[in-house]
Amino acid sequence: METAEFVRTLDREGLLLAAAAEEAGAEAKVPTCPQWQVRDLVRHTGMVHRWAAAFVSEAHTSYQQDGGLPDLDGAELFAWFREGHRHLVDTLSGAAADVRCWHFLPAPSPLAFWARRQAHETTVHRFDAQSARGGTPDEIDSGFAADGVEELLGGFHARSKSRVRSAEPRVLRVRATDTDDAVWTVRLSQEPPVTERGETARADCEISGPAGPLYLSLWNRLPFPRVTGDASIGALWRENSAVTWS
């Protein structure tokens, strides 16, 4: 996907998140994040939007702390979220393609990184907000979802902080069944996972399904669509793969 496509997705998903949060109400429980109410979800995502925008707009070349969570609630909180989301979209839309700033996963450019990361951040949390509202959440485009699986496996869990480790070497296959060439081989060991595209080794376990549900399941929002082989490897992922804010 091109950077502009990610920004358009970020724009749309943020508006959907805000609408669902307002409809659910600040006190509603978020079933996909049991420790949160909607106010927690909105405060967190709004904080992340402002934090991300600052790297691009102010060209910070080193890590900067976030600005913390606001002491806002109800209508004021929702308005604050919408303002920050719009600022992020406008910042990414208007930034120079060669802007230099800090980012934390491999990417063609810092701008490409932030557009992609915030599109996925906001999409997952939009699903959370719609889950809190009730009804059926909007579907996720299969190509975008497959890109999110790639980011999660080849980006987040390639880092040293990944807790998905196995005492004995194991191989996990991840397969999106509705998207061409969306197959990953994840080698698990006592070191961070190593992910390769394609079927590059015999798998001990395979997690498969349509890209949208697969993406959400790997982010621990839904059960795995289908697990074959050694189910304990799927359980290992479920128990240790959470990406937390720090």
Side-chain angles (χ1 to χ4, degrees):
M1 292 176 64
E2 298 295 327
T3 296
E5 294 179 81
F6 284 120
V7 176
R8 285 193 292 271
T9 299
L10 164 64
D11 192 359
R12 180 184 66 252
E13 295 290 317
L15 293 174
L16 290 171
L17 191 163
E22 289 170 340
E23 188 174 347
E27 295 184 357
K29 295 288 187 180
V30 182
T32 48
C33 299
Q35 73 277 24
W36 275 357
Q37 293 177 298
V38 163
R39 61 170 58 90
D40 303 305
L41 170 65
V42 173
R43 287 169 180 165
H44 167 78
T45 312
M47 174 272 290
V48 172
H49 284 172
R50 284 166 167 77
W51 176 76
F55 285 104
V56 178
S57 64
E58 301 173 24
H60 294 303
T61 56
S62 61
Y63 174 79
Q64 304 290 311
Q65 291 284 348
D66 64 75
L69 300 177
D71 186 19
L72 298 172
D73 209 346
E76 287 185 325
L77 174 62
F78 298 138
W80 173 86
F81 173 85
R82 287 182 180 276
E83 179 185 4
H85 168 250
R86 178 51 45 201
H87 174 61
L88 174 60
V89 170
D90 291 347
T91 294
L92 295 174
S93 297
D98 61 352
V99 64
R100 311 314 300 172
C101 63
W102 180 84
H103 57 292
F104 61 88
L105 296 178
S109 70
L111 182 61
F113 165 80
W114 284 112
R116 181 196 200 195
R117 176 81 291 277
Q118 290 309 301
H120 286 297
E121 174 88 12
T122 306
T123 298
V124 171
H125 288 317
R126 181 272 293 169
F127 183 83
D128 293 331
Q130 290 185 336
S131 298
R133 178 199 63 191
T136 302
D138 291 14
E139 293 186 0
I140 298 173
D141 173 78
S142 59
F144 177 77
D147 178 80
V149 174
E150 173 72 27
E151 184 203 40
L152 181 62
L153 298 179
F156 279 100
H157 286 289
R159 301 186 299 170
S160 61
K161 63 175 61 177
S162 175
R163 296 182 298 107
V164 182
R165 311 289 178 101
S166 173
E168 299 296 328
R170 310 292 280 164
V171 176
L172 169 66
R173 180 100 67 238
V174 176
R175 186 188 306 273
T177 56
D178 60 347
T179 308
D180 291 341
D181 301 320
V183 181
W184 297 264
T185 298
V186 186
R187 299 174 186 268
L188 304 176
S189 69
Q190 297 181 46
E191 300 299 320
V194 175
T195 298
E196 304 159 340
R197 290 299 291 261
E199 300 186 42
T200 59
R202 182 180 179 277
D204 299 297
C205 172
E206 178 169 305
I207 299 171
S208 62
L214 181 67
Y215 167 67
L216 290 167
S217 73
L218 291 170
W219 276 106
N220 294 320
R221 263 48 184 199
L222 291 176
F224 296 130
R226 184 168 185 260
V227 178
T228 55
D230 186 349
S232 70
I233 299 175
L236 175 72
W237 179 274
R238 182 70 74 194
E239 294 164 5
N240 295 285
S241 66
V243 176
T244 57
W245 183 259
S246 60

